[in-house]
Amino acid sequence: SIYWLTCQHVSRAVDLNSVKKAVTQSLWSVCAECLKERTPFEGEPSGDVLICLRCGFQGCNQSEAQHSTKHQLAQHPESHCISISLSSWKAWCLECNEELSTHCNKKVLAQTLDFLQKHSVKAASGILPPPPAACASVPSVHSAPTPPGNHSVYRFALVRQNLSQTHLLNELIAEVKEKGHKLKICPSPETNLGPLTITLPSPEPLTSAMFLFLHSMKEAGKGPVSPKVVFNQLCHKAPRFKGYQQQDSQELLHYLLDSMRMEETKRIKAGILKAFNNPTEKTADEETKRQVKAYGKEGVKMNFVDRIFVGELTNTIMCEECAHISTVKEAFIDISLPIIEERTSKPTNLGRMSKGGRELDAMVSHGDEMLSTSQSHVNRNIKKSGVQVGHTNKRAEKVYTSARKQMLISALPPVVILHLKRFHQAGMNLRKVNRHVDFPLILDLAPFCSASCKNMVAGEHVLYILYGIVEHSGSMRGGHYAAYVRIRAPQRRPEQRRNMSGPKECSTAMPGQWVYVSDTSVQVVPESRVLSAQAYLLFYEELL
């Protein structure tokens, strides 16, 4: 029921000035006590955040924590008894035990609600005033007002710091941000179909939110930019990312890019169907179905995520007993590399597995030593039919043999993200590998590409320059995430496809300034500090 009469506690329990001061100096819509304790919730959050209208304290109403109620009871009850939910905007008086109407009470209650709603809109737009702890900002980089420590929003913010400096992402997402964008699809010659220009509908919510964030990051002088507008959209698709769970930066990044990829794929398919007057299974003839399928196959590859981040790996497995070879191609958004803690001898080169093929190795420290990622076991299935994948045995059984696995890049994207696997499962426990890994500022990926790699000429260098790092320092219990980002101007995209010079010639031309982003601080750092980072994610862009 709604408490329609004037609440006698409003005059003592509502202080607009105190609320304004408190919310501008605190993290928005985050329980202050949960943040202080840094205690991750088990499972999904079961409530929202309420704000005390007397002092501006933000507390949760989790079934177990009840920090909002505890705050009200710990203070003078009649002075801190009114709070507003930041999700439903309902006001509640704990003393009256009734919901309050903002229209039938004192004007200050309506004014306070109006201020909070406007502040919430600013937070949702990605722009918030800088908290007092923030250092002087560096142009084009903003510290995100998110909780320090192991927190999903904070880890997400660090990933997005690197995405904000992915200039090709800024460029392509700006092209497709509006409803009505024209996209020209050119199917393969064997389809006997000409080009088709389609009109795209409006972007989906996550992609729209990402564009607003990237646009806000480019505007200087607006202070820290909140990650919550994009993060909330991501949580709609994957509720497991909500709250204070121990989420992994690589998992967040992978899901973000994959989700935007699916949104844009849906958008392109809708544009193709509209170009054919939205045919259905019942109304479309076989020729229309063929054309829609052909344009769709080519069109879905034209989304901005594929054009920037998605490459192709060719996995080749060779049985050591019978030398049988099998290959599988798969798309990748990032490449995961194990960190080998002890030196081992490098296996024999498997060059015969593909023409001029070279092994994709994990980069490890101690003087540019390269160790193979592979030595695995493969399951051979011997069938009664006589089709053999190894040694026959005319009953069917599973036989396990030693095998060698080779991963080669068969299609290179403009941006390559390397994931160093620092977290290993050891029995029932997850442990952290703290070993330092040497990583180059300029990376030549040519040695890790197959001879048939798309868009690559045999013998040329394929150079990528490092522009971003997500670091994990410390242990599993006391770890900390931070980011290093290179602030630089976008590369000019010349007519020629790639820089043909070697790494030594390019090593002196490293434009930009490195900055370190941690919690709510941003500071300029020398290159030597960057190279000493406990790298977890490495962002490389093609050097043009």
Side-chain angles (χ1 to χ4, degrees):
S1 62
I2 297 179
Y3 190 79
W4 292 109
L5 300 179
T6 301
C7 174
Q8 61 179 336
H9 305 101
V10 170
S11 59
R12 284 178 290 177
V14 180
D15 187 334
L16 177 56
N17 290 331
S18 295
V19 171
K20 285 183 176 180
K21 183 178 179 181
V23 299
T24 54
Q25 295 182 347
S26 305
L27 300 171
W28 178 248
S29 194
V30 174
C31 175
E33 287 300 314
C34 290
L35 178 59
K36 186 188 303 181
E37 296 169 4
R38 298 188 187 178
T39 304
F41 296 131
E42 296 296 331
E44 296 296 322
S46 58
D48 59 29
V49 174
L50 295 89
I51 186 166
C52 173
L53 299 192
R54 179 65 176 82
C55 64
F57 171 84
Q58 296 180 64
C60 68
N61 65 351
Q62 299 285 329
S63 56
E64 294 183 2
Q66 290 290 331
H67 287 135
S68 176
T69 303
K70 290 178 181 178
H71 164 78
Q72 292 175 316
L73 295 177
Q75 306 297 325
H76 195 284
E78 293 187 356
S79 298
H80 295 259
C81 61
I82 298 179
S83 60
I84 285 182
S85 165
L86 298 185
S87 60
S88 66
W89 300 114
K90 292 181 179 179
W92 187 269
C93 178
L94 189 65
E95 285 292 294
C96 299
N97 197 27
E98 292 284 356
E99 182 182 334
L100 305 182
S101 167
T102 57
H103 302 290
C104 298
N105 280 284
K106 292 183 180 293
K107 188 177 181 180
V108 67
L109 184 58
Q111 291 175 333
T112 305
L113 175 61
D114 181 64
F115 164 76
L116 292 173
Q117 288 177 328
K118 289 180 178 178
H119 191 80
S120 179
V121 171
K122 290 181 181 179
S125 68
I127 301 172
L128 284 175
C135 296
S137 64
V138 177
S140 300
V141 169
H142 303 292
S143 56
T146 46
N150 293 326
H151 185 268
S152 298
V153 182
Y154 177 63
R155 298 181 183 189
F156 186 66
L158 294 175
V159 164
R160 286 176 48 194
Q161 291 286 356
N162 288 283
L163 291 181
S164 72
Q165 286 299 310
T166 305
H167 295 309
L168 187 55
L169 175 61
N170 282 275
E171 177 185 324
L172 294 186
I173 202 172
E175 287 182 6
V176 301
K177 68 180 177 67
E178 299 293 345
K179 177 181 180 181
H181 176 75
K182 303 293 184 181
L183 185 68
K184 186 177 181 180
I185 302 175
C186 299
S188 55
E190 58 266 22
T191 62
N192 293 320
L193 295 175
L196 174 69
T197 300
I198 64 172
T199 302
L200 298 181
S202 299
E204 296 286 310
L206 180 59
T207 302
S208 295
M210 175 56 76
F211 170 75
L212 289 175
F213 164 77
L214 294 174
H215 181 72
S216 298
M217 289 288 284
K218 290 192 297 183
E219 295 184 359
K222 290 207 171 181
V225 178
S226 169
K228 293 194 70 174
V229 61
V230 178
F231 185 72
N232 289 341
Q233 288 295 335
L234 187 65
C235 289
H236 283 309
K237 296 179 179 292
R240 68 178 181 275
F241 291 136
K242 288 182 180 178
Y244 291 73
Q245 293 102 320
Q246 301 289 320
Q247 299 296 352
D248 179 76
S249 291
Q250 186 259 351
E251 182 185 9
L252 284 164
L253 171 64
H254 198 281
Y255 199 91
L256 171 66
L257 295 178
D258 199 48
S259 296
M260 290 195 297
R261 185 188 190 194
M262 289 189 290
E263 281 193 349
E264 284 297 285
T265 296
K266 177 182 175 182
R267 188 182 176 203
I268 292 170
K269 287 182 176 179
I272 294 172
L273 290 175
K274 185 177 180 181
F276 284 86
N277 296 318
N278 295 313
T280 65
E281 284 292 327
K282 293 183 179 180
T283 61
D285 55 33
E286 291 303 316
E287 178 59 19
T288 300
K289 290 179 182 177
R290 183 187 78 85
Q291 292 186 30
V292 169
K293 183 177 180 180
Y295 285 116
K297 182 179 180 181
E298 191 64 34
V300 296
K301 302 175 186 176
M302 299 180 69
N303 70 82
F304 66 84
V305 176
D306 276 46
R307 291 167 64 187
I308 301 170
F309 299 101
V310 176
E312 182 185 78
L313 282 176
T314 297
N315 290 295
T316 306
I317 298 177
M318 183 183 74
C319 174
E320 290 191 331
E321 288 189 13
C322 66
H324 174 80
I325 294 174
S326 60
T327 60
V328 177
K329 294 182 182 295
E330 60 179 335
F332 68 84
I333 288 181
D334 53 27
I335 300 177
S336 293
L337 301 173
I339 300 175
I340 302 173
E341 296 188 89
E342 296 180 1
R343 291 188 175 216
T344 60
S345 59
K346 187 173 181 179
T348 304
N349 189 286
L350 306 182
R352 60 175 174 156
M353 297 170 68
S354 64
K355 296 179 181 179
R358 287 145 293 199
E359 294 171 292
L360 176 62
D361 297 329
M363 295 179 295
V364 296
S365 58
H366 301 299
D368 298 331
E369 179 184 7
M370 306 294 282
L371 298 179
S372 173
T373 62
S374 60
Q375 184 103 82
S376 60
H377 287 81
V378 63
N379 173 24
R380 290 193 287 112
N381 205 352
I382 302 174
K383 301 182 179 179
K384 292 182 180 179
S385 62
V387 179
Q388 301 177 353
V389 188
H391 301 293
T392 53
N393 212 347
K394 298 295 159 226
R395 66 185 186 278
E397 63 179 12
K398 292 182 179 179
V399 179
Y400 294 91
T401 66
S402 296
R404 292 182 181 179
K405 181 178 180 180
Q406 179 188 59
M407 292 190 299
L408 299 171
I409 301 174
S410 46
L412 280 163
V415 173
V416 171
I417 303 172
L418 300 182
H419 164 227
L420 302 184
K421 298 169 70 174
R422 291 195 173 275
F423 305 105
H424 288 187
Q425 193 76 34
M428 297 297 292
N429 300 318
L430 191 66
R431 65 183 181 87
K432 164 85 185 295
V433 178
N434 281 314
R435 181 181 182 184
H436 176 72
V437 174
D438 288 334
F439 49 88
L441 294 173
I442 298 240
L443 174 64
D444 183 6
L445 285 178
F448 313 117
C449 294
S450 65
S452 59
C453 183
K454 300 172 186 176
N455 301 321
M456 177 184 169
V457 179
E460 76 170 21
H461 293 285
V462 185
L463 305 181
Y464 283 73
I465 185 170
L466 182 70
Y467 71 92
I469 301 171
V470 172
E471 175 189 60
H472 185 278
S473 58
S475 64
M476 292 294 298
R477 292 185 177 181
H480 178 70
Y481 278 89
Y484 293 88
V485 186
R486 184 195 295 275
I487 309 304
R488 73 230 182 274
Q491 295 188 76
R492 296 181 62 184
R493 306 189 72 80
E495 291 297 326
Q496 63 268 29
R497 185 175 52 81
R498 283 198 172 92
N499 189 307
M500 301 293 288
S501 58
K504 291 183 179 180
E505 288 80 358
C506 294
S507 61
T508 57
M510 300 288 286
Q513 175 66 62
W514 283 101
V515 297
Y516 175 72
V517 184
S518 177
D519 296 339
T520 56
S521 66
V522 177
Q523 62 183 108
V524 175
V525 293
E527 197 173 80
S528 58
R529 178 171 171 182
V530 175
L531 293 173
S532 66
Q534 287 288 322
Y536 182 53
L537 296 176
L538 296 165
F539 293 75
Y540 286 90
E541 69 176 349
E542 184 181 14
L543 187 59
L544 301 176

